[in-house]
């Protein structure tokens, strides 16, 4: 179905991941395993749909009709057991852009916004660039696994928080939150009248046997206080086509958000993004299921190799995403020296954990969504670097 073993040359394709190596890592010799896109081709049905659309040759303004909305609704229902109405849908080029719009629409300068750290780096700029304040609910690591500190979570809400940006599944730690955890977060946000902005872009990228539960699917009350952000971009490797959607069941909340999207000109999709979204959700399910098996195999490989061949690295236990959160504290390097070691000695381009918050300063994030040949080379470089240092 999907060709997940073939190595594609992505150089000179204006790829952020590959063509910015010298800028990001100061070397073209670095193997890039960082930014969250995959080195796999999108499903063939998506590529065929894009080619067929391109044959028409006219790329004027496009509408988002039921042929796009119905596949989204069907996908959410089938994959995540959540029945949504088409009226709940809004659209924008990307989840990060949508979060910027939501922060502007629902909060005021000086407001406190809660995040659970270490967390996806754009969350900080989404908050701080609009003169809002980041409030941290640091996740607690125990036995190589992360948990929510609910006492701290409630204390922060008590102190006055306008919104909570949830990352579900969580990036970078790979947690897929349980129903009980989601219910408790929802309960506390209702208690303190806090709006939940739920980034669920990795919802489909969970390992076999795990279940992602959309927060807003838990109850009508929680849904009324939740704005959910989703996209096929991570799922099917479509980030460059810029297509995402927002699910908001509460009419007043939705109208407020839509007004902000309209003011900023972010309320449309481009022609090719529209086409890809429709095709992915109609025909991409088998491809995705195969991908999830591949990612599980890749995760298990990385863990087994790093644990067998070194006594340095510890990979955080996770249930989703194609991102591994690697504890490098046994190298006894500070965050700057750790980045230098990875770039110059191992020659593997990873995301520096400190960028996700001070809590991640001794970690690195690895993208395993690549052909096995690439993965094995990256792991070999890490092992050789620590064993020969």
């Amino acid at each position: 179905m999907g060709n997940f073993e073939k190595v594609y040359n992505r150089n000179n394709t204006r790829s952020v991941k590959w063509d910015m190596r010298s800028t990001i890592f100061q070397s073209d010799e670095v193997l890039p395993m960082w930014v969250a896109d995959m080195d796999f081709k999108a499903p063939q049905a998506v590529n065929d749909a894009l080619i067929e659309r391109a044959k028409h040759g006219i790329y004027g303004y496009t509408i988002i009709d039921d042929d796009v909305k119905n596949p989204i609704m069907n996908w959410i229902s089938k994959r995540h057991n959540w029945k949504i109405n088409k009226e709940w849908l809004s659209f924008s080029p990307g989840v990060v852009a949508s979060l910027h719009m939501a922060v502007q629409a629902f909060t005021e300068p000086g407001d406190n916004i809660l995040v659970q750290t270490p967390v996806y780096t754009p969350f900080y700029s989404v908050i701080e660039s609009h003169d809002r304040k980041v409030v941290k609910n640091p996740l607690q690591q125990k036995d190589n696994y992360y948990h929510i500190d609910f006492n701290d979570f409630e204390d922060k809400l008590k102190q006055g928080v306008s919104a909570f940006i949830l990352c579900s599944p969580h990036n970078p730690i790979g947690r897929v939150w349980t129903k009980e955890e989601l219910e408790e977060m929802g309960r506390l946000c209702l208690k303190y009248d806090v709006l939940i902005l739920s980034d669920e872009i990795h919802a489909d990228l969970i390992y076999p046997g795990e279940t992602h539960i959309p927060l807003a699917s838990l109850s009508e009350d929680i849904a009324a206080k939740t704005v959910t952000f989703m996209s096929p971009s991570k799922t099917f490797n479509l980030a460059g086509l810029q297509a995402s959607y927002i699910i908001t069941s509460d009419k007043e909340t939705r109208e407020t958000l839509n007004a902000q999207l309209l003011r900023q000109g972010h309320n449309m999709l481009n022609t090719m993004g529209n086409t890809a979204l429709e095709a992915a959700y109609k025909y991409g399910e088998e491809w995705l299921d195969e991908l999830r098996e591949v990612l599980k195999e890749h995760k298990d490989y990385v863990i087994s190799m790093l644990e067998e061949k070194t006594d340095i690295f510890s990979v955080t236990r996770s249930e989703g995403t194609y991102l591994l959160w690697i504890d490098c504290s046994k190298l006894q390097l500070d965050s700057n020296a750790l980045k230098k070691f990875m770039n110059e000695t191992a020659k593997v381009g990873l995301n520096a954990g400190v960028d996700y918050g001070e809590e991640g300063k001794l970690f690195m994030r690895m993208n395993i969504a690549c052909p096995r040949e690439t993965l094995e080379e990256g792991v070999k470089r890490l092992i050789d670097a620590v064993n020969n240092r």
Side-chain angles (χ1 to χ4, degrees):
M1 183 69 187
N3 191 343
F4 299 111
E5 296 300 321
K6 183 173 181 179
V7 177
Y8 297 97
N9 183 358
R10 297 186 65 189
N11 292 308
N12 303 311
T13 62
R14 300 193 178 101
S15 163
V16 169
K17 187 176 186 179
W18 287 83
D19 290 329
M20 290 190 68
R21 282 179 293 171
S22 60
T23 300
I24 302 297
F25 303 107
Q26 292 75 54
S27 172
D28 283 335
E29 296 181 3
V30 164
L31 184 67
M33 304 181 77
W34 62 297
V35 69
D37 73 15
M38 299 189 277
D39 291 328
F40 303 134
K41 277 192 175 182
Q44 190 57 46
V46 173
N47 293 322
D48 289 344
L50 291 169
I51 291 168
E52 189 63 30
R53 180 62 185 84
K55 288 178 181 178
H56 187 263
I58 300 174
Y59 311 107
Y61 294 113
T62 188
I63 61 172
I64 304 170
D65 56 15
D66 286 351
D67 286 339
V68 176
K69 294 178 181 178
N70 287 336
I72 293 173
M73 295 165 59
N74 293 338
W75 184 268
I76 298 297
S77 175
K78 183 175 182 181
R79 302 292 298 197
H80 304 298
N81 195 30
W82 183 21
K83 303 287 187 182
I84 66 171
N85 299 331
K86 71 179 66 174
E87 292 78 17
W88 299 357
L89 291 168
S90 307
F91 295 84
S92 89
V95 166
V96 172
S98 299
L99 286 169
H100 276 283
M101 298 302 104
V103 165
Q104 293 177 78
F106 300 116
T107 67
E108 300 293 334
D111 281 3
N112 294 324
I113 299 178
L114 186 70
V115 297
Q116 294 172 309
T117 55
V119 74
Y120 182 48
T121 55
F123 281 14
Y124 296 100
S125 61
V126 159
I127 296 168
E128 294 172 335
S129 64
H130 302 295
D131 299 318
R132 278 68 166 171
K133 298 176 183 177
V134 173
V135 175
K136 294 184 176 182
N137 169 226
L139 297 167
Q140 302 300 299
Q141 189 183 32
K142 181 180 180 182
D143 299 328
N144 203 30
Y145 193 66
Y146 280 90
H147 306 267
I148 298 169
D149 182 344
F150 279 109
N151 290 329
D152 180 74
F153 188 92
E154 183 167 13
D155 285 343
K156 298 296 170 56
L157 296 187
K158 277 182 186 177
Q159 293 170 25
V161 167
S162 296
F164 162 45
I165 305 181
L166 171 65
C167 198
S168 179
H170 191 93
N171 174 9
I173 67 170
R175 274 301 315 274
V176 174
W177 304 116
T178 65
K179 183 179 180 183
E180 292 73 22
E181 288 169 321
L182 292 167
E183 286 176 334
E184 183 64 3
M185 286 189 281
R187 183 187 72 81
L188 290 171
C189 286
L190 287 175
K191 179 178 178 180
Y192 294 99
D193 193 28
V194 173
L195 180 69
I196 305 166
L197 306 177
S198 188
D199 175 357
E200 303 189 21
I201 196 170
H202 291 278
D204 297 314
L205 295 169
I206 55 174
Y207 295 118
E210 304 293 342
T211 301
H212 170 77
I213 302 172
L215 179 66
S217 70
L218 292 176
S219 74
E220 290 186 5
D221 288 342
I222 291 175
K225 292 295 292 184
T226 303
V227 182
T228 303
F229 305 86
M230 303 182 100
S231 171
S233 60
K234 291 286 185 276
T235 307
F236 298 104
N237 208 25
L238 308 176
L241 293 175
Q242 297 188 309
S244 81
Y245 54 93
I246 309 160
I247 306 170
T248 318
S249 63
D250 182 74
K251 185 174 184 290
E252 183 177 347
T253 303
R254 184 170 64 251
E255 289 176 349
T256 300
L257 178 62
N258 286 342
Q260 184 66 34
L261 292 170
L262 183 61
R263 276 193 294 272
Q264 300 291 335
H266 282 304
N267 59 324
M268 296 186 294
L269 298 183
N270 69 75
T271 299
M272 291 308 192
N274 214 6
T275 300
L277 187 156
E278 176 188 357
Y281 281 155
K282 280 185 175 178
Y283 310 115
E285 190 167 28
E286 186 177 346
W287 181 94
L288 173 60
D289 288 338
E290 185 177 346
L291 169 68
R292 291 169 61 217
E293 295 287 349
V294 169
L295 294 178
K296 177 63 165 59
E297 292 171 3
H298 283 195
K299 182 183 81 160
D300 292 345
Y301 171 80
V302 174
I303 292 172
S304 66
M305 290 298 291
L306 293 185
E307 290 182 353
E308 288 174 13
K309 303 297 183 181
T310 81
D311 58 358
I312 295 296
F313 299 118
S314 178
V315 181
T316 300
R317 289 194 290 132
S318 60
E319 297 99 358
T321 83
Y322 50 71
L323 307 164
L324 299 185
W325 188 237
I326 304 175
D327 186 339
C328 307
S329 57
K330 289 182 180 178
L331 280 171
Q332 297 184 321
L333 301 172
D334 64 26
S335 58
N336 289 326
L338 180 57
K339 285 193 283 186
K340 184 176 181 180
F341 176 83
M342 292 298 176
N343 295 351
E344 298 179 9
T345 304
K347 290 183 168 49
V348 179
L350 307 179
N351 288 102
V354 70
D355 293 340
Y356 301 84
E358 181 68 14
E359 301 82 359
K361 64 183 179 182
L362 301 180
F363 290 76
M364 301 296 285
R365 190 188 79 165
M366 171 186 275
N367 180 345
I368 60 170
C370 56
R372 185 61 171 258
E373 178 181 330
T374 304
L375 185 74
E376 291 179 358
E377 175 62 22
V379 171
K380 179 180 183 299
R381 291 187 186 194
L382 287 176
I383 293 170
D384 289 348
V386 298
N387 286 342
N388 296 326
R389 75 190 192 284

